[in-house]
Amino acid sequence: MASATFYGQIAANRRNSVLLSLVVVLLLGALGFAIGGAASGSAGTGAAAAVIALGAGLVAALLAYYAGDALVLASSGARQVDAESAPQLFNVVAEVATAAGVPMPRVYIIDDTAPNAFATGRDPQHASVAITAGLLQKLDREELQGVMGHELSHVRNYDIRFSLMVGVLVGAVALIADMFLRMTFWGGIAGGRRRRGSDGGGGGFAAVMMLVALLLAIVAPIAARLVQLAVSRQREYLADASSVELTRDPYGLERALAKIALDTEPLEVANRATQHLYFENPVKAATAESSDLFSTHPPVLDRINRLRQLTGEAPVDAPSVVVGDRAPVVSAQLRGLGAGDPGSGPTPPPTPPEPPQPPEPPETPPGFTWRGWR
């Protein structure tokens, strides 16, 4: 039953991620079509503009494909380490990489005491994992394996490429919408439409497309951003489930999630452009009151309870106190998980009762022995 639930989660998350990504592509094409139609008054020109918009998104994606990981690592202040400088970390990463069937990635350390990690790259052959010094200090080996299983699942599942492409397309939607609004504000497109209208050419179609383009220019960037966040959350659920598949141990990941959620220290080198890459949202204080809809990561409570669902355990209690960016639980159960409570793992076998002791012999009367009278 747990196996069926596990593979069902993976299949559902993959389907949802592909569908949401297609929504971003459609938004980009629709925005290009509407802007082209508004500018020219012609459906043919609108179609050509849609192709141009998609082409611009593709070019941006190719640039990010080959240079995006280097930019992310540089902006995070990550330094590359080897087996001599970080032997335990290298050993854990090598173990999980072997289990995942991917090449050993390049390993980086970020000198920050906030516990977190991320994976980046365009494919498993060009992947890197970055781990903060705080993660190494605050997690035990089993918990570190859970986190590395999560990150290398992103590598194995090509999430690192997938998220990069969606992020670039979302950026292209926002850029094109902003350019259109600026041109409209300064009269470039509207002036051309008025001149064509006075000549009697395509005025009605252009007017409709202008209204559609204005609406899309306002709504599309918001919708695309929401889709990006939804894709990111779906991939996090998938990576959690895949980590369990690799390590065969949901309890280390469970405790790691609790520890990182209860750690309120923000990661100084992270920002809103890179926060979706991390194991858990590193921008904690800035998004303390944000809803799940605008979050880059699922609620920690949901992630923990999905792991417990795989093992048939009872869910953690409902949230009680807001901490971090999505109100993760601060209950006795979550604190117990973060502290490495043995209750977060399999139930230990009951202690066997002590063997019965032989009864004490009765008090010997004076003058009597067990061999007879004296």
Side-chain angles (χ1 to χ4, degrees), residues 272-348:
R272 293 186 182 276
T274 59
Q275 63 181 343
H276 67 284
L277 297 174
Y278 284 86
F279 174 74
E280 170 57 8
N281 195 339
V283 187
K284 297 184 177 182
T287 54
E289 297 181 358
S290 65
S291 68
D292 291 346
L293 185 65
F294 293 94
S295 172
T296 58
H297 290 66
V300 171
L301 177 63
D302 273 2
R303 296 173 69 179
I304 289 175
N305 282 341
R306 288 195 181 206
L307 293 173
R308 297 173 78 85
Q309 183 182 10
L310 295 176
T311 57
E313 294 183 273
V316 177
D317 291 339
S320 57
V321 179
V322 174
V323 169
D325 61 317
R326 283 164 316 286
V329 170
V330 182
S331 66
Q333 280 182 290
L334 189 60
R335 288 196 183 280
L337 290 176
D341 186 352
S344 63
T347 305

Side-chain angles (χ1 to χ4, degrees), residues 80-156:
Q80 189 170 359
V81 295
D82 53 27
E84 293 183 1
S85 56
Q88 183 185 24
L89 174 60
F90 245 76
N91 183 257
V92 170
V93 174
E95 285 180 356
V96 181
T98 300
V102 298
M104 178 70 180
R106 294 187 298 274
V107 181
Y108 292 79
I109 289 181
I110 301 171
D111 292 318
D112 195 296
T113 55
N116 226 314
F118 70 84
T120 187
R122 62 179 183 265
D123 54 42
Q125 288 72 35
H126 301 87
S128 303
V129 291
I131 300 94
T132 65
L135 190 80
L136 297 177
Q137 295 167 2
K138 298 175 182 179
L139 268 58
D140 63 29
R141 183 184 177 88
E142 186 181 8
E143 294 157 359
L144 181 61
Q145 283 178 327
V147 175
M148 288 300 98
H150 176 102
E151 296 305 329
L152 288 175
S153 294
H154 280 314
V155 173
R156 185 184 67 165

Side-chain angles (χ1 to χ4, degrees), residues 37-94:
S40 67
S42 166
T45 305
V51 173
I52 292 172
L54 291 172
L58 178 61
V59 170
L62 287 174
L63 291 174
Y65 179 85
Y66 288 105
D69 58 340
L71 291 174
V72 169
L73 290 167
S75 67
S76 302
R79 57 181 175 85
Q80 189 170 359
V81 295
D82 53 27
E84 293 183 1
S85 56
Q88 183 185 24
L89 174 60
F90 245 76
N91 183 257
V92 170
V93 174

Side-chain angles (χ1 to χ4, degrees), residues 140-353:
D140 63 29
R141 183 184 177 88
E142 186 181 8
E143 294 157 359
L144 181 61
Q145 283 178 327
V147 175
M148 288 300 98
H150 176 102
E151 296 305 329
L152 288 175
S153 294
H154 280 314
V155 173
R156 185 184 67 165
N157 298 338
Y158 283 79
D159 292 345
I160 50 177
R161 176 192 295 178
F162 196 87
S163 299
L164 186 62
M165 297 300 108
V166 172
V168 169
L169 288 174
V170 169
V173 169
L175 180 62
I176 293 173
D178 184 64
M179 290 174 60
F180 169 74
L181 290 174
R182 289 176 184 273
M183 291 175 66
T184 303
F185 178 77
W186 292 107
I189 292 180
R193 183 180 59 81
R194 284 194 296 269
R195 287 192 298 274
R196 285 188 303 275
S198 63
D199 295 336
F205 179 79
V208 172
M209 287 295 99
M210 174 61 72
L211 293 176
V212 172
L214 284 172
L215 179 62
L216 282 175
I218 295 170
V219 174
I222 300 172
R225 176 62 175 164
L226 291 177
V227 168
Q228 181 191 24
L229 297 176
V231 169
S232 178
R233 292 192 294 270
Q234 293 295 330
R235 308 310 276 187
E236 294 304 317
Y237 284 134
L238 176 58
D240 284 346
S242 297
S243 176
V244 175
E245 181 190 22
L246 296 178
T247 64
R248 304 297 179 183
D249 176 20
Y251 307 109
L253 181 58
E254 203 175 280
R255 294 199 308 272
L257 281 165
K259 281 187 177 181
I260 294 174
L262 293 171
D263 192 295
T264 57
E265 183 181 0
L267 185 59
E268 300 294 337
V269 296
N271 53 55
R272 293 186 182 276
T274 59
Q275 63 181 343
H276 67 284
L277 297 174
Y278 284 86
F279 174 74
E280 170 57 8
N281 195 339
V283 187
K284 297 184 177 182
T287 54
E289 297 181 358
S290 65
S291 68
D292 291 346
L293 185 65
F294 293 94
S295 172
T296 58
H297 290 66
V300 171
L301 177 63
D302 273 2
R303 296 173 69 179
I304 289 175
N305 282 341
R306 288 195 181 206
L307 293 173
R308 297 173 78 85
Q309 183 182 10
L310 295 176
T311 57
E313 294 183 273
V316 177
D317 291 339
S320 57
V321 179
V322 174
V323 169
D325 61 317
R326 283 164 316 286
V329 170
V330 182
S331 66
Q333 280 182 290
L334 189 60
R335 288 196 183 280
L337 290 176
D341 186 352
S344 63
T347 305
T351 304

